Amino acid sequence: MMGITHATSGAAAWLAITGTMPIVTAGAYPLDPVGVLAGTAVCAGAALLPDADHHSATIAHSVPVLGKLATGVVEAASGGHRQGAHSPVGVLVTFAAAWALTLVAFPVDPLGSLAIGAGAGTAALTAFGLKARGLIRSWPAAWAIGAMLGAFIVVFAPEQVAWFPLAVLVGFVAHLAGDLLTTGGLPGLIWPWRIRPPRAIRPLPVLNRVWLPNGYVSLPVLGDTGSLRETMLGALLGTYCFVGSTYEVLRLIGVDPFAFW
């Protein structure tokens, strides 16, 4: 799945889980508008994290030299693209790292304890999401907006830090779900072990598209990465994000569209 679709799917997943718009969102973890909107930006960026195992991913271009270095390290540690970083191991490691970031705080008088770690994570993931979605053209501008959101969370809305690990988790899992729906698939639940199908059943129709010869699993309803079906799904999810975000913005300024019904 393309980076832009991953980012959009992450944002849509967060809106669906935390938004309060009737019918359209589940409201399973309802938040105030600030949490929904800020988390949408974070979740969009987190949906790009699994592809940090590829040297040409969006994240690789985020910071000169350091971006390539970081993705190179992840690629080597995870065994290459669509391996460890695209497995349950990657999910657990990333969630633990996000939770650990929330513990990085420093006392600053008279503001109290500032969650610097979560603020930095918010800044970085927001920048990744904005750039991947094409909403910002340059990396410096994306980082500037990300830094402003991160600073706002840390200084003016520190209570919002609680949802940061969840947003990272949701975005990461949304990425894996998207890749599962393409022909490339995922390495399965027990990486680094991949169970290859017996040769006798490899030719079987349907099964040979779900259980791939290399041991990966796939539900390829979207076809190849970048297919027309993926583009259509991205457009649908983008529309969903626009509707959900607009509703939350209206809530933020004190307007309830459903009050007029």
Side-chain angles (χ1 to χ4, degrees):
M1 184 174 275
M2 302 293 288
I4 184 173
T5 315
H6 278 311
T8 306
S9 67
W14 186 253
L15 280 166
I17 293 172
T18 66
T20 59
M21 187 174 182
I23 302 175
V24 177
T25 58
Y29 185 74
L31 294 174
D32 60 26
V34 172
V36 176
L37 293 170
T40 297
V42 170
C43 206
L48 301 173
L49 289 178
D51 278 345
D53 64 4
H54 196 283
H55 59 273
S56 63
T58 300
I59 295 174
H61 306 288
S62 59
V63 181
V65 182
L66 290 179
K68 288 283 187 181
L69 179 62
T71 53
V73 170
V74 174
E75 185 174 12
S78 64
H81 184 48
R82 282 208 191 189
Q83 294 200 53
H86 285 70
S87 73
V89 174
V91 174
L92 292 175
V93 170
T94 303
F95 179 72
W99 174 78
L101 276 179
T102 64
L103 303 180
V104 180
F106 297 96
V108 177
D109 292 330
L111 299 176
S113 182
L114 298 184
I116 303 299
T122 296
L125 294 177
T126 298
F128 298 159
L130 288 173
K131 195 66 172 62
R133 281 289 301 141
L135 300 176
I136 300 295
R137 291 189 176 184
S138 71
W139 275 111
W143 277 106
I145 294 175
M148 286 189 288
L149 179 59
F152 172 80
I153 294 297
V154 169
V155 178
F156 299 106
E159 71 280 358
Q160 299 291 344
V161 170
W163 52 253
F164 178 77
L166 179 61
V168 174
L169 176 65
V170 170
F172 201 98
V173 172
H175 180 113
L176 301 190
D179 281 349
L180 180 66
L181 298 180
T182 65
T183 53
L186 295 174
L189 296 176
I190 57 173
W191 181 92
W193 298 279
R194 284 182 286 140
I195 302 176
R196 302 174 187 271
R199 291 184 179 275
I201 67 172
R202 290 183 186 180
L204 293 178
V206 181
L207 181 62
N208 61 10
R209 301 291 302 277
V210 175
W211 191 5
L212 306 181
N214 62 358
Y216 279 46
V217 292
S218 169
L219 297 174
V221 296
L222 296 180
D224 295 334
T225 296
S227 67
L228 176 60
R229 278 171 282 176
E230 179 188 327
T231 301
M232 294 175 64
L233 175 63
L236 181 63
L237 291 176
T239 302
Y240 178 83
C241 289
F242 176 77
V243 172
S245 297
T246 300
Y247 177 77
E248 296 301 331
V249 169
L250 291 174
R251 285 183 63 213
L252 185 62
I253 62 177
V255 177
D256 182 4
F258 292 92
F260 301 102
W261 284 27

